[in-house]
Amino acid sequence: MFDKLDDLLIRFEEVLNELGEPGVTDNQERFQKLMKEQSDLQPIVDTYTEYKKNKETIQDSLSLLEEEKDEDMREMLKEELSDAKKRVEELEQELKILLLPKDPNDSKNVIVEIRAGAGGDEAALFAAEIYRMYVKYAESRRWKTEMMSLNENGIGGFKEVTFMIQGQGAYSRLKYESGVHRVQRVPETESGGRIHTSTCTVAIMPEAEEIDFHLDMNDCKFDVFRIDVMRASGNGGQCVNTTDSAVRLTHIPTGIVISCQDEKSQLKNKDKALKVLRSRLYEMELAKQHDAEAEARRSQIGTGDRSEKIRTYNFPQGRVTDHRIKLTLHRLESILGGDLDEIIDSLIAADQAAKLSSLNEEE
């Protein structure tokens, strides 16, 4: 591990030197790549530098203890030595986590799909609440949200909603949200006062860029895409319901259908549909890779499986339970208000612990 850390220190100095070269900004692609590498290496370098300082403190304290006769000074040195040893242990663990293989998608924006599951209108109302929860969470982190498509049920619920969250590290935090979310409560649509269980599914997909998954609209000529345009339906502003602006994009090889009608412009709706399709296809490729890497998948904390029941929101008891890590929090209202950090931090910590354990087994 320390050989690798020393190599990273050398590489960090090389990157700084390259960034200091005259005219480095002339090549924007190279400049952005170097800036990203510096940003990725900085936490590792800072932690390793602190680690080495504490190791030096340990050596210095041990040397001084051999020579020091004054008891007060010896006690002070012993305390300093104890603190440094404790900090070295903590930093070693931090360095192991920092050196874990990075998910190349962690820095990306995400496309979120929420679909009402079992429970009819109540499931659609719950899907709308989960949508608002993520929008509020994004706002708390100063991320931007953009609606891609929406299918409402007429009473304020969402049968299906697709939207984008744009922000540094969005995927790194939200990727654990994929799966089945379950609600237990007396539905607004139920007059008998009985507790019902309803579900919605959440899919978190990294935004696929052109470099990740190339789609060429010229492929329409080769029976890869079919594009249908139509008049938008449902709620809409001026022009949305009066022009053929809605777009339905069908990817013939997979049968995936994407519909977008939120924009007045057919071109903008087509662009949004392409973004969603590209990310959906990219997610399928990632799923294939995960299935091929069974051992790596075993060490993960339930990411990406839409059929996995991950969380229950119990209204009568005011609690939220994440079943993957057996975490229960009795503050349902604040969580639905977007206060997700405690859950997500716990999931990240559990995932890191599982990966470290897997690495230790291999060693």
Side-chain angles (χ1 to χ4, degrees), residues 95-229:
L95 286 167
K96 286 179 182 178
I97 290 171
L98 286 168
L99 290 176
L100 285 172
K102 297 286 187 296
D103 186 331
N105 294 310
D106 274 353
S107 63
K108 292 187 175 181
N109 302 326
V110 298
I111 289 177
V112 186
E113 286 184 349
I114 303 173
R115 297 183 182 185
D121 284 340
E122 167 63 9
L125 290 168
F126 177 52
E129 283 186 79
I130 294 298
Y131 162 76
R132 287 189 287 272
M133 177 181 77
Y134 290 129
V135 169
K136 288 173 182 175
Y137 180 64
E139 288 172 354
S140 74
R141 300 191 73 87
R142 297 184 178 178
W143 294 339
K144 294 179 181 178
T145 58
E146 179 186 358
M147 181 67 74
M148 309 295 281
S149 68
L150 173 62
N151 183 4
E152 299 176 88
N153 72 343
I155 59 169
F158 295 170
K159 294 179 182 178
E160 182 179 342
V161 58
T162 304
F163 62 105
M164 180 183 285
I165 298 179
Q166 297 170 302
Q168 180 62 34
Y171 184 75
S172 70
R173 295 192 66 77
L174 290 172
K175 62 184 177 182
Y176 303 98
E177 295 299 298
S178 285
V180 176
H181 294 240
R182 182 175 69 171
V183 63
Q184 294 173 326
R185 65 182 174 190
V186 177
E188 294 177 27
T189 54
E190 171 66 49
S191 58
R194 296 175 299 161
I195 295 173
H196 281 225
T197 298
S198 303
T199 63
C200 72
T201 60
V202 175
I204 305 290
M205 300 174 287
E207 182 191 12
E209 300 164 16
E210 196 70 36
I211 194 169
D212 297 320
F213 211 102
H214 177 69
L215 291 177
D216 187 350
M217 290 311 297
N218 288 326
D219 286 343
C220 290
K221 299 173 184 176
F222 305 104
D223 293 330
V224 174
F225 295 115
R226 186 176 70 247
I227 298 177
D228 300 307
V229 294

Side-chain angles (χ1 to χ4, degrees), residues 21-287:
E21 291 175 1
V24 67
T25 56
D26 293 345
N27 185 338
Q28 277 297 308
E29 186 179 345
R30 175 172 173 261
F31 177 67
Q32 292 296 333
K33 186 177 178 183
L34 287 170
M35 288 295 292
K36 185 179 185 307
E37 190 172 2
Q38 181 197 7
S39 176
D40 290 343
L41 288 173
Q42 191 75 58
I44 300 172
V45 169
D46 290 346
T47 306
Y48 189 37
T49 300
E50 186 185 351
Y51 172 85
K52 293 205 292 186
K53 283 180 180 176
N54 278 275
K55 290 289 282 186
E56 287 175 11
T57 299
I58 291 171
Q59 293 301 321
D60 293 344
S61 297
L62 287 170
S63 298
L64 290 169
L65 271 171
E66 290 179 3
E67 301 170 5
E68 187 60 60
K69 305 298 182 186
D70 183 83
E71 276 306 311
D72 289 340
M73 282 297 294
R74 286 182 64 82
E75 284 302 313
M76 191 166 68
L77 286 167
K78 285 177 182 177
E79 187 176 339
E80 192 177 69
L81 177 63
S82 175
D83 289 344
K85 283 182 175 179
K86 182 181 178 183
R87 186 62 183 139
V88 160
E89 289 179 7
E90 293 171 350
L91 290 166
E92 277 187 6
Q93 190 67 12
E94 288 178 29
L95 286 167
K96 286 179 182 178
I97 290 171
L98 286 168
L99 290 176
L100 285 172
K102 297 286 187 296
D103 186 331
N105 294 310
D106 274 353
S107 63
K108 292 187 175 181
N109 302 326
V110 298
I111 289 177
V112 186
E113 286 184 349
I114 303 173
R115 297 183 182 185
D121 284 340
E122 167 63 9
L125 290 168
F126 177 52
E129 283 186 79
I130 294 298
Y131 162 76
R132 287 189 287 272
M133 177 181 77
Y134 290 129
V135 169
K136 288 173 182 175
Y137 180 64
E139 288 172 354
S140 74
R141 300 191 73 87
R142 297 184 178 178
W143 294 339
K144 294 179 181 178
T145 58
E146 179 186 358
M147 181 67 74
M148 309 295 281
S149 68
L150 173 62
N151 183 4
E152 299 176 88
N153 72 343
I155 59 169
F158 295 170
K159 294 179 182 178
E160 182 179 342
V161 58
T162 304
F163 62 105
M164 180 183 285
I165 298 179
Q166 297 170 302
Q168 180 62 34
Y171 184 75
S172 70
R173 295 192 66 77
L174 290 172
K175 62 184 177 182
Y176 303 98
E177 295 299 298
S178 285
V180 176
H181 294 240
R182 182 175 69 171
V183 63
Q184 294 173 326
R185 65 182 174 190
V186 177
E188 294 177 27
T189 54
E190 171 66 49
S191 58
R194 296 175 299 161
I195 295 173
H196 281 225
T197 298
S198 303
T199 63
C200 72
T201 60
V202 175
I204 305 290
M205 300 174 287
E207 182 191 12
E209 300 164 16
E210 196 70 36
I211 194 169
D212 297 320
F213 211 102
H214 177 69
L215 291 177
D216 187 350
M217 290 311 297
N218 288 326
D219 286 343
C220 290
K221 299 173 184 176
F222 305 104
D223 293 330
V224 174
F225 295 115
R226 186 176 70 247
I227 298 177
D228 300 307
V229 294
M230 65 210 79
R231 193 155 295 182
S233 60
N235 297 327
Q238 186 178 8
C239 299
V240 173
N241 300 73
T242 58
T243 62
D244 290 336
S245 59
V247 171
R248 184 171 62 230
L249 182 62
T250 304
H251 187 247
I252 295 168
T254 60
I256 293 173
V257 179
I258 308 293
S259 298
C260 282
Q261 64 175 37
D262 293 334
E263 300 288 346
K264 297 175 185 177
S265 161
Q266 185 187 117
L267 194 62
K268 288 182 179 178
N269 280 325
K270 187 186 293 182
D271 184 54
K272 282 188 174 184
L274 269 173
K275 279 186 179 180
V276 176
L277 176 60
R278 186 181 288 120
S279 293
R280 189 87 70 81
L281 292 171
Y282 183 48
E283 183 202 28
M284 289 173 65
E285 287 299 313
L286 291 177

